[in-house]
């Protein structure tokens, strides 16, 4: 299993930050490891939305089908907004949880990604963890740039 957690403090309002990170169609605009996203179920973010996501890999790009399994926009805008995007494939499973909370200066965006190889491929987890740190660092830099934010240590 490889895990990466990014925490970005942004002046962006919660609703705007959540709109950016809950709709996978925007990922290609801020994550350099995602060259293409196509929505295949639904229109925009929300429960049950599904996306074909092309991820840049070392040997060749791979396409994963992500489904929005949880989507929470509270009545009180100061409560956390949260989405869980999950891709299940023959080679790996990816769980991407994004939580956006209000802060006095705007919003705190927490992107928690958990990538798991399946079957015998789990033997490659140590290498995946190393690669995922690099991939995650690039994504976090894209998050900072897209939100005019700064990284916050955990």
């Amino acid at each position: 299993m490889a895990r990466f957690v990014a925490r970005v403090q942004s002046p962006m309002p919660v609703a705007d930050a959540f709109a950016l990170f809950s709709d996978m169609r925007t990922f290609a605009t801020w994550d350099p490891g995602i060259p293409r996203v196509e929505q295949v179920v639904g229109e925009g973010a929300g429960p049950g939305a599904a996306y074909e996501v092309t991820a840049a890999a070392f040997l060749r790009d791979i396409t994963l089908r992500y489904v929005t399994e949880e989507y929470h926009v509270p009545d009180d805008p100061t409560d956390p907004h949260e989405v869980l995007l999950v891709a299940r494939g023959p080679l790996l499973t990816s769980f991407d949880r994004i939580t956006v909370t209000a802060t006095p200066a705007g919003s705190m965006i927490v992107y928690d990604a958990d990538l798991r190889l399946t079957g015998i491929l789990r033997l490659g987890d140590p290498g995946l963890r190393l690669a995922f740190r690099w991939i995650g660092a690039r994504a976090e830099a894209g998050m900072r740039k897209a939100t005019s934010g700064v990284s916050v240590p955990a």
Side-chain angles (χ1 to χ4, degrees):
M1 176 181 81
R3 185 167 180 219
F4 184 82
V5 179
R7 296 171 43 93
V8 173
Q9 171 66 52
S10 169
M12 187 178 276
V14 170
D16 294 346
F18 188 70
L20 178 64
F21 294 106
S22 65
D23 186 343
M24 289 199 85
R25 295 175 302 172
T26 69
F27 280 42
T29 67
W30 60 265
D31 186 341
I34 305 295
R36 190 180 72 76
V37 177
E38 179 183 345
Q39 186 156 14
V40 294
V41 175
E43 293 183 24
Y51 310 86
E52 295 289 329
V53 178
T54 302
F58 293 107
L59 299 176
R60 63 182 175 96
D61 291 353
I62 60 171
T63 299
L64 301 166
R65 184 182 184 107
Y66 276 86
V67 176
T68 304
E69 291 198 357
E70 296 175 16
Y71 186 87
H72 179 68
V73 177
D75 293 331
D76 182 346
T78 62
D79 287 341
H81 292 54
E82 191 168 50
V83 64
L84 174 64
L85 306 161
V86 179
R88 289 182 174 87
L91 303 177
L92 60 88
T93 301
S94 179
F95 299 93
D96 295 50
R97 182 174 299 278
I98 301 126
T99 306
V100 183
T101 54
T103 67
S107 60
M108 174 66 70
I109 304 136
V110 178
Y111 195 120
D112 187 342
D114 179 344
L115 192 60
R116 300 174 187 188
L117 294 171
T118 57
I120 192 73
L121 294 176
R122 284 185 286 200
L123 295 173
D125 273 345
L128 179 63
R129 279 193 288 276
L130 289 173
F132 205 41
R133 283 188 203 137
W134 179 76
I135 292 165
R138 292 179 63 213
E140 183 175 1
M143 289 173 64
R144 288 193 311 267
K145 185 175 179 183
T147 65
S148 300
V150 296
S151 293
V152 176

